[in-house]
C-alpha cells in the first residue's frame, strides 16, 4: 500500500505510487462528454471510474456532511462521492477522488475544500482528493495535466457536443427506439480507440470524423411529426446532470418533446474569452495573453468545423457561432456579468428562442446567486426582446419535490402545445406544403 504523504500545509498528496495502485472516482455530469474524458484519463495511465450512483441516499449523505446553505451542486457531488465510498464497493486504502477546481468568484472553487472537510467528518480523511485545474491551484506528484491530455480533453468536448446535439435531434423522431443511443455508444468506443492511438485530434481528422458522425446519424430512420421544441439552460451542473435535475431530459422526452441542450464548447469559449478581457482591462503577462489568444483561436476553429459538419446534412440544425451567441445579449446584459455562467446563460436563452426552441426550462440550483440573476432575473427582459420566449425557472434543491418541479414544467408545456396547435392550424390556411425532406421522412 502506498505511503501517505502530506505537503507543508498538511494536505494529503496523490503520489506517484498511488497512480499505480489507486482507483480514482469521478463525479458524473454530462454523460457523453464525461465518458470520453474518463477514457482519456485511463489512456494516460490513471485508473478512473465514472460514478453512476444516485438516489435519495446521495442527497442524504450530502446533507449530512455539507452545510445545507451550500449550493446544491456541491451537496450532490460530495454526497455522490461519500455514498460511493460508503457502498463497500471500493478499497478505501486504494481509492482517490478527482474534482474540478475553477478559481474565480464561483463557489465551485471551494468544492474541493468542502469535500476534504466532509471526508474528515466521515472518517475518510485517508482518501486523497485530486484537483483537476489548469490554473496551478493545487499540484500532486502523482497527477499531471500535460499538453497532449489537454488536446484530448478539448477534442472530447467537441465530439461530445456533436454526439449530444445529433442524439437530441434524432432521438425524438427515430422509428426504431434506441437507435440513437446505440450509435452514441458506438462512436464513444470508436473515438476512445482513436484517442488511445493519438488519432482524431488534428483539425483534418476532426473534420473527417465529425462528417462521418453526422452522416451516420442522418442514416437513422426517422418520422418527422410536430413536437414541442424545448431547450434546457441553467447552472452548468444541473443543466447537464441527470442527478442534479431529476432526469429532466428524460422527463421532457416522455412529454413528447424534442430537447435542445446547448453544448459545453460555448461555455469553454466564454471562460477563455473572459481571461482575455481580464488581461485587457487589468493588465497581465503578455506571454499569457498570447497563449490564451492561441487557445481562443483554436477553439473557434474547432467550433467552426463542428458547425460545418452538421450543415452537411440539412435535416440537422447546427449550433450558432460563439460570436453570434455573444452578439445576442448586446444592450440586454453587460459583458462584465461573468460569474458562473454570466451573460452566456442569458445569451443561450435568446439563442434557443431564435432557433425555434422558445420553450425553455431554466434549471436553478439552490445557492447559485449568479444563475438566479442571469437566468431567472433576465426572463422579463428576454420576453421584451423576443415575445416568443416561454420560459419556466425551476429550482433544484434538497427540499424541492420532483412532482412540483414536473408540474410547473407541464404548465409551460401546456402553453407550448397550444401555440404549436395554432401554428399547425395556420398551415393549411396559408396553403403551405411540407418541405421535401420533411415529406420524405414522413413516409419512412
Amino acid at each position: 500500500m502506498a505511503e501517505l504523504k502530506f505537503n507543508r500545509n498538511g494536505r494529503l498528496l496523490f503520489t506517484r505510487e498511488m497512480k499505480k495502485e489507486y482507483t480514482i472516482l469521478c463525479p458524473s455530469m454530462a454523460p457523453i462528454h464525461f465518458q470520453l474524458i474518463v477514457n482519456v484519463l485511463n489512456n494516460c495511465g490513471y485508473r478512473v471510474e465514472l460514478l453512476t450512483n444516485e438516489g435519495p441516499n446521495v442527497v442524504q449523505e450530502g446533507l449530512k456532511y455539507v452545510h445545507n446553505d451550500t449550493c446544491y451542486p456541491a451537496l450532490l457531488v460530495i454526497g455522490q462521492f461519500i455514498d460511493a465510498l460508503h457502498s463497500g464497493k471500493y478499497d478505501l486504502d486504494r481509492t482517490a477522488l478527482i474534482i474540478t477546481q475553477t478559481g474565480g468568484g464561483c463557489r465551485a472553487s471551494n468544492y474541493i475544500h468542502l469535500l476534504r472537510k466532509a471526508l474528515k467528518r466521515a472518517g475518510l480523511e485517508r482518501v486523497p482528493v485530486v484537483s483537476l485545474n489548469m490554473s496551478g491551484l493545487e499540484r500532486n506528484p502523482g497527477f499531471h495535466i500535460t499538453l497532449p491530455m489537454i488536446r484530448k480533453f478539448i477534442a472530447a468536448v467537441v465530439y461530445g457536443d456533436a454526439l449530444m446535439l445529433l442524439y437530441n435531434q434524432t432521438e425524438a423522431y427515430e422509428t426504431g427506439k434506441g437507435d440513437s443511443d446505440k450509435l452514441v455508444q458506438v462512436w464513444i468506443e470508436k473515438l476512445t480507440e482513436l484517442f488511445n492511438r493519438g488519432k482524431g485530434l488534428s483539425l483534418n481528422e476532426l473534420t473527417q470524423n465529425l462528417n462521418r458522425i453526422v452522416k451516420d446519424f442522418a442514416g437513422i430512420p426517422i418520422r418527422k411529426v410536430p413536437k414541442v421544441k424545448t431547450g434546457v439552460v441553467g447552472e452548468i451542473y444541473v443543466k447537464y446532470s441527470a442527478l442534479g435535475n431529476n432526469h429532466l431530459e428524460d422527463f421532457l422526452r416522455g412529454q413528447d418533446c424534442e430537447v435542445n441542450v446547448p453544448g459545453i464548447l460555448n461555455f469553454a469559449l466564454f471562460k477563455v474569452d473572459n481571461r482575455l478581457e481580464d488581461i485587457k482591462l487589468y493588465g497581465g503577462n503578455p506571454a499569457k495573453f498570447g497563449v490564451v489568444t492561441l487557445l481562443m483561436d483554436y477553439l473557434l476553429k474547432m467550433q467552426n468545423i463542428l458547425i460545418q459538419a452538421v450543415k452537411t446534412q440539412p435535416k440537422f440544425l447546427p449550433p450558432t457561432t460563439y460570436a453570434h451567441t455573444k452578439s445576442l445579449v448586446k444592450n440586454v446584459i453587460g459583458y462584465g456579468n461573468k460569474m458562473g455562467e454570466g451573460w452566456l446563460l442569458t445569451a443561450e436563452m435568446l439563442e434557443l428562442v431564435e432557433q425555434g426552441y422558445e420553450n425553455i426550462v431554466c434549471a436553478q440550483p439552490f445557492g447559485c446567486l449568479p444563475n438566479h440573476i442571469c437566468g431567472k432575473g433576465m426572463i422579463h427582459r428576454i420576453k421584451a426582446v423576443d415575445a416568443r420566449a416561454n420560459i419556466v425557472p425551476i429550482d433544484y434543491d434538497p427540499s424541492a419535490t420532483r412532482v412540483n418541479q414536473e408540474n410547473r414544467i407541464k404548465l409551460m408545456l401546456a402553453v407550448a402545445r397550444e401555440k404549436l396547435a395554432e401554428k399547425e392550424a395556420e398551415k393549411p390556411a396559408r396553403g403551405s406544403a411540407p418541405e421535401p425532406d420533411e415529406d420524405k421522412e414522413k413516409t419512412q
Side-chain angles (χ1 to χ4, degrees), residues 136-155:
L137 295 173
E138 285 191 4
R139 291 183 173 88
N140 287 280
F143 186 86
H144 302 283
I145 296 179
T146 62
L147 283 175
M149 190 186 294
I150 292 172
R151 196 179 179 203
K152 290 178 181 179
F153 285 162
I154 294 172

Side-chain angles (χ1 to χ4, degrees), residues 33 154 157-158 161 240 262-271 298-304 306 322 344:
H33 300 73
I154 294 172
V157 168
V158 178
D161 276 4
Y240 294 111
I264 294 178
L265 184 55
N266 252 5
F267 183 78
L269 284 161
F270 166 73
K271 288 300 183 184
Y298 181 62
L299 292 176
L300 288 171
K301 286 178 181 177
M302 298 188 92
Q303 184 182 61
N304 185 59
L306 169 59
Y322 175 74
L344 180 65

Side-chain angles (χ1 to χ4, degrees), residues 266-280 289 292 295-296 299 322-323 326 335 338 343:
N266 252 5
F267 183 78
L269 284 161
F270 166 73
K271 288 300 183 184
V272 175
D273 192 13
N274 288 340
R275 291 291 181 95
L276 290 173
E277 290 302 319
D278 285 346
I279 296 171
K280 290 176 186 175
F289 184 81
V292 178
L295 177 59
M296 186 74 180
L299 292 176
Y322 175 74
K326 187 175 182 178
Y335 292 124
K338 57 187 183 178
W343 60 258

Side-chain angles (χ1 to χ4, degrees), residues 164-182:
M164 181 175 68
L165 178 146
L166 295 166
Y167 170 80
N168 281 332
Q169 292 189 28
T170 305
E171 189 278 339
Y173 307 102
E174 62 187 9
T175 56
K177 281 302 171 186
D179 286 352
S180 302
D181 187 58
K182 289 174 185 175

Side-chain angles (χ1 to χ4, degrees), residues 391-434:
I391 307 169
V392 59
I394 301 295
D395 292 326
Y396 291 91
D397 64 72
S399 62
T401 64
R402 185 168 181 168
V403 171
N404 183 52
Q405 291 164 343
E406 292 180 352
N407 282 341
R408 294 195 63 219
I409 296 170
K410 285 178 180 178
L411 289 173
M412 181 272 287
L413 294 177
V415 174
R417 290 190 183 100
E418 287 180 8
K419 291 182 178 179
L420 179 62
E422 289 172 4
K423 287 180 184 177
E424 291 302 308
E426 289 173 3
K427 283 184 178 180
R430 293 197 303 260
S432 60

Side-chain angles (χ1 to χ4, degrees), residues 44 68 77 111-113 138 144 161 165 173 190 199 201 211 264 268 305 310 365 369 375 410 414 425:
C44 293
N68 62 1
V77 169
Y111 284 10
I112 195 164
H113 308 295
E138 285 191 4
H144 302 283
D161 276 4
L165 178 146
Y173 307 102
K190 286 183 179 180
K199 302 291 185 180
L201 306 174
N211 284 338
I264 294 178
I305 290 171
V310 177
L369 185 59
K410 285 178 180 178

Side-chain angles (χ1 to χ4, degrees), residues 68-298:
N68 62 1
D69 279 344
T70 302
C71 53
Y72 189 49
L75 187 147
L76 286 179
V77 169
I78 295 170
Q80 187 177 43
F81 274 138
I82 295 181
D83 177 61
L85 294 173
H86 281 165
S87 69
K89 182 179 176 182
Y90 305 99
D91 180 352
L92 300 183
D93 292 318
R94 289 181 174 81
T95 302
L97 312 177
I98 190 167
I99 189 170
T100 55
Q101 193 177 9
T102 57
C106 180
R107 280 186 288 182
S109 302
N110 298 314
Y111 284 10
I112 195 164
H113 308 295
L114 291 169
L115 175 57
R116 290 195 178 109
K117 184 177 180 181
L119 291 172
K120 186 174 182 179
R121 289 186 62 196
L124 299 167
E125 59 264 48
R126 67 186 183 280
V127 177
V129 181
V130 178
S131 168
L132 181 62
N133 75 85
M134 298 182 189
S135 307
L137 295 173
E138 285 191 4
R139 291 183 173 88
N140 287 280
F143 186 86
H144 302 283
I145 296 179
T146 62
L147 283 175
M149 190 186 294
I150 292 172
R151 196 179 179 203
K152 290 178 181 179
F153 285 162
I154 294 172
V157 168
V158 178
Y159 286 123
D161 276 4
L163 291 171
M164 181 175 68
L165 178 146
L166 295 166
Y167 170 80
N168 281 332
Q169 292 189 28
T170 305
E171 189 278 339
Y173 307 102
E174 62 187 9
T175 56
K177 281 302 171 186
D179 286 352
S180 302
D181 187 58
K182 289 174 185 175
L183 189 54
V184 168
Q185 296 307 315
V186 165
W187 269 105
I188 287 175
E189 291 177 10
K190 286 183 179 180
L191 292 169
T192 298
E193 195 272 330
L194 288 172
F195 289 168
N196 290 348
R197 295 189 288 112
K199 302 291 185 180
L201 306 174
S202 71
L203 296 180
N204 284 336
E205 289 173 321
L206 187 78
T207 301
Q208 293 171 10
N209 287 330
L210 286 176
N211 284 338
R212 291 190 191 110
I213 291 171
V214 173
K215 185 178 180 181
D216 282 357
F217 273 91
I220 294 177
I222 63 172
R223 181 175 178 272
K224 274 279 189 176
V225 293
K227 293 202 175 200
V228 171
K229 294 187 174 184
T230 309
V232 176
V233 299
E235 184 273 336
I236 192 166
Y237 181 83
V238 296
K239 173 182 175 182
Y240 294 111
S241 171
L243 173 61
N245 60 36
N246 284 333
H247 291 266
L248 173 60
E249 290 180 57
D250 292 337
F251 170 74
L252 291 171
R253 293 187 189 103
Q255 295 295 307
D256 204 28
C257 298
E258 179 193 332
V259 182
N260 186 335
V261 186
I264 294 178
L265 184 55
N266 252 5
F267 183 78
L269 284 161
F270 166 73
K271 288 300 183 184
V272 175
D273 192 13
N274 288 340
R275 291 291 181 95
L276 290 173
E277 290 302 319
D278 285 346
I279 296 171
K280 290 176 186 175
L281 289 171
Y282 308 117
N285 189 324
K288 181 180 178 181
F289 184 81
V291 171
V292 178
T293 300
L294 287 173
L295 177 59
M296 186 74 180
D297 292 342
Y298 181 62

Side-chain angles (χ1 to χ4, degrees), residues 320-331:
T320 61
T321 64
Y322 175 74
H324 178 72
T325 304
K326 187 175 182 178
S327 72
L328 292 174
V329 291
K330 188 176 182 180
N331 300 322

